[in-house]
Amino acid sequence: MPYITKENEKNVQLYYEDLGSGQPVILIHGWPLSGKSWELQVPVLLNLGYRVIQYDRRGFGKSFPSSSPEGYNYDELAGDLHELITALDLKNVILFGFSMGGGEVVRYLTNYGAENVDRVALISSIIPIVKQKEDNPDGVPQEKLDEIMDNLKKDRVTFLESFHKDFYNYGMLSHSVSQKQLDYDWSIAAHACPIATIKCAESWANTDFRPELQNVTVKTLIVHGDDDNIVPIDTAGRQAAQGIADNRFVIVEGGPHGLNVTHADELNAVLSDFLMK
C-alpha cells in the first residue's frame, strides 16, 4: 500500500490513493472519517481527466497516528499535506477540503503560499470559524462544543453513532441516507485513533481562521448546505464568502453537513463546472 513517511516524524505514515493522470486534485476529508468519504466524487473527477489523490489524515483510516498528543494542530496537519505534495512532486495542484479539511487548505496557503496551487474548494467547511464568540454570534456555543468533547472522552463510539445522524440530518430530509451508510461511517470513525479523534476535534473547534482568509488568493469555490447542523452556514460558508476575494459561493438548499452523500449529484455538478471554467 502507498504511504508517505514524514521526514521529521518517522512514526507518522500517511496512507494515500493516487488514481488517474492529468492535473492533480487532492481530496482532504472531514472529521472523523477518512479518504473513503470522497467515494461519490472520485469517479466524476477521474472522468473529467484529473489525477485524483485522496489521503487519510494522521490517525484516521489507514494512516498512522502521531506519537505526540500535540501533533494534531493545523500547522502539523498542513505540514502533512505539504509532505504529500513534495513527495509526489505535484505541480499546479487543486485542493478540495471538506469540513475539517478546509482548515488544511487555508493553513497550507498561509504557511506555504499559493505559488503551487491553481484553485481550491471548501465544501461544508469549518472555514473560517466554528466557535461562538462575542464577535461571532452565529457560531456553535461553547457548551455544545464542551458536550462533544466530554462525550468523545467518556463514550466515543456511542457518540459517533448519534453524530453521524446529525451529519446527514437523518430522518429529516427527503435526501436521506440508508442505515448501512450510517453503519459504514460509524465503522470508519470508530476505528480511528481515539486521541487523534479528540485532538482533531479540539483543532477544528478552537481555530479561528478569519485572519488567514486574506491568504486565500486563488480562485475558490465555497459550497455549503443551508441546513447544516454541524457547521452552521452563517458561521462558516457565508463568512468565508465575505472574506475570500475571488470566490464563487454556492448554497445547497436543504443540504446537511454530509451533502457530499445526500446531494452528491448536485455537488458533483458544481465541482465539475468549477473545474472546467
Side-chain angles (χ1 to χ4, degrees):
M1 292 187 291
Y3 281 92
I4 299 295
T5 301
K6 288 279 293 195
E7 187 65 30
N8 59 344
E9 286 184 276
K10 297 299 184 181
N11 57 295
V12 175
Q13 296 185 50
L14 304 173
Y15 172 80
Y16 70 96
E17 296 182 6
D18 188 349
L19 303 172
S21 59
Q23 186 178 7
V25 179
I26 303 177
L27 306 178
I28 309 166
H29 66 84
W31 179 95
L33 295 170
S34 74
K36 290 183 180 297
S37 60
W38 293 100
E39 180 176 343
L40 298 180
Q41 284 67 57
V42 170
V44 174
L45 298 174
L46 290 173
N47 287 337
L48 289 173
Y50 289 90
R51 178 181 176 184
V52 181
I53 301 162
Q54 58 196 96
Y55 73 98
D56 295 341
R57 183 177 289 108
R58 57 168 67 190
F60 295 82
K62 298 178 183 178
S63 289
F64 287 59
S66 170
S67 60
S68 167
E70 306 309 316
Y72 298 97
N73 62 70
Y74 270 108
D75 283 337
E76 296 282 359
L77 299 177
D80 290 347
L81 173 59
H82 181 66
E83 194 89 20
L84 178 75
I85 292 172
T86 301
L88 298 181
D89 194 27
L90 303 177
K91 307 298 182 185
N92 197 33
V93 297
I94 299 168
L95 303 177
F96 283 6
F98 181 87
S99 190
M100 180 181 182
E104 276 103 325
V105 171
V106 174
R107 185 57 57 86
Y108 179 88
L109 293 170
T110 296
N111 289 357
Y112 302 99
E115 293 78 10
N116 195 31
V117 179
D118 177 39
R119 61 187 67 191
V120 303
L122 304 173
I123 305 159
S124 297
S125 172
I126 55 98
I127 296 299
I129 184 172
V130 172
K131 182 186 293 188
Q132 185 182 78
K133 294 185 175 183
E134 187 173 338
D135 63 349
N136 187 50
D138 296 313
V140 179
Q142 184 65 54
E143 55 266 27
K144 177 62 176 178
L145 295 173
D146 289 343
E147 181 183 341
I148 291 172
M149 301 306 169
D150 288 343
N151 286 330
L152 285 172
K153 294 171 183 176
K154 293 176 181 177
D155 193 357
R156 181 180 61 94
V157 293
T158 300
F159 166 76
L160 291 171
E161 181 179 17
S162 62
F163 177 80
H164 282 287
K165 289 182 179 179
D166 290 338
F167 201 87
Y168 297 115
N169 294 2
Y170 183 69
M172 301 169 61
L173 297 175
S174 57
H175 294 75
S176 192
V177 296
S178 67
Q179 181 62 49
K180 292 299 183 183
Q181 177 71 49
L182 292 175
D183 293 344
Y184 180 59
D185 283 6
W186 178 85
S187 178
I188 293 171
H191 284 88
C193 171
I195 292 176
T197 302
I198 294 168
K199 290 298 181 179
C200 281
E202 291 176 353
S203 290
W204 61 251
N206 295 309
T207 306
D208 185 349
F209 287 96
R210 287 177 294 180
E212 297 180 46
L213 294 182
Q214 63 182 344
N215 301 322
V216 185
T217 57
V218 297
K219 187 175 182 180
T220 302
L221 173 67
I222 301 166
V223 184
H224 218 101
D226 63 6
D227 202 14
D228 189 328
N229 290 325
I230 303 296
V231 182
I233 190 172
D234 288 336
T235 195
R238 294 193 199 279
Q239 288 201 85
Q242 292 169 0
I244 294 174
D246 182 10
N247 80 83
R248 177 188 174 198
F249 182 30
V250 176
I251 299 174
V252 177
E253 185 175 351
H257 194 63
L259 56 80
N260 58 314
V261 175
T262 61
H263 294 67
D265 289 343
E266 185 174 349
L267 173 62
N268 291 342
V270 171
L271 294 176
S272 299
D273 183 66
F274 173 67
L275 289 171
M276 302 308 288
K277 287 186 177 179

